[in-house]
Amino acid sequence: MDFGLVCPPGDGEPLRRFNRPDDDFGGLPTWDDVEACLSIDNFDNWPYDANAPNSFRCALEGFRDPHDTTVVTASMHNLVHIFCGGTLNNIFEASNDPLFPCIHVYVDKIFESWLRDHEDVQYPTGDVPLGHRATEKMVPFLPLFENQDLLKPCRTFGYDYVYDE
């Protein structure tokens, strides 16, 4: 059975994997990195992009060091994409990689854990870049949701995670 690819690689190329050795790269995120990320209380702040210090979102996405959010570095989510390399490190092909859903489910689980400790979090308002404001629609998802609609616990969407105590 051929399920096809959403965004096939050029010229019928197969999926690729070029992971980097730990001694050259520093390795994947650790549990200590996850705990540091979860300890960031602020969801996001100005300039609401990869340059936002003291931002849980920015640390989880992997633009900032979760231990020191003033440091710009590949970490968390981005670090896994970079580590695996190949197709998974190409924005236009990554969703075709079998590891893509595994990585993003774990990122979602970390996000859910953070939300459970920050139930009153509000989506940023004010001087937020176009397309990233609370009431703007997320595209290309159908039906259309506002950005703020997705800052809710996963139970709202009909699923849940089990956490070891």
Side-chain angles (χ1 to χ4, degrees):
M1 180 178 289
D2 180 13
F3 290 101
L5 297 173
V6 177
C7 302
D11 299 327
E13 293 178 32
L15 297 175
R16 299 172 310 282
R17 184 87 61 239
F18 306 112
N19 40 344
R20 302 170 70 155
D22 284 354
D23 60 335
D24 180 44
F25 188 59
L28 293 166
T30 65
W31 182 246
D32 191 44
D33 296 331
V34 172
E35 288 179 334
C37 190
L38 290 170
S39 73
I40 301 168
D41 285 326
N42 191 30
F43 174 68
D44 205 3
N45 62 17
W46 189 88
Y48 305 104
D49 62 15
N51 298 308
N54 192 30
S55 163
F56 166 77
R57 179 203 51 83
C58 219
L60 181 59
E61 281 293 326
F63 299 114
R64 296 280 177 153
D65 182 335
H67 300 275
D68 180 355
T69 61
T70 64
V71 176
V72 176
T73 188
S75 67
M76 302 298 290
H77 162 260
N78 288 345
L79 191 60
V80 178
H81 278 274
I82 294 166
F83 177 82
C84 293
T87 306
L88 198 57
N89 198 33
N90 181 323
I91 250 177
F92 303 105
E93 301 174 338
S95 64
N96 296 313
D97 193 298
L99 291 177
F100 186 88
C102 299
I103 292 166
H104 292 92
V105 164
Y106 194 66
V107 168
D108 184 62
K109 186 175 181 178
I110 294 169
F111 181 56
E112 175 63 22
S113 182
W114 186 88
L115 278 175
R116 289 179 184 192
D117 289 337
H118 299 84
E119 294 177 3
D120 296 331
V121 66
Q122 297 293 311
Y123 204 86
T125 58
D127 189 21
V128 181
L130 186 63
H132 298 274
R133 295 181 180 123
T135 57
E136 290 181 315
K137 305 296 184 202
M138 290 192 73
V139 292
F141 305 110
L142 294 173
L144 293 176
F145 288 94
E146 292 181 352
N147 289 326
Q148 65 188 356
D149 293 337
L150 300 180
L151 195 61
K152 296 179 181 171
C154 64
R155 293 179 192 118
T156 305
F157 304 105
Y159 69 99
D160 201 356
Y161 290 106
V162 174
Y163 294 92
D164 294 332
E165 298 298 325

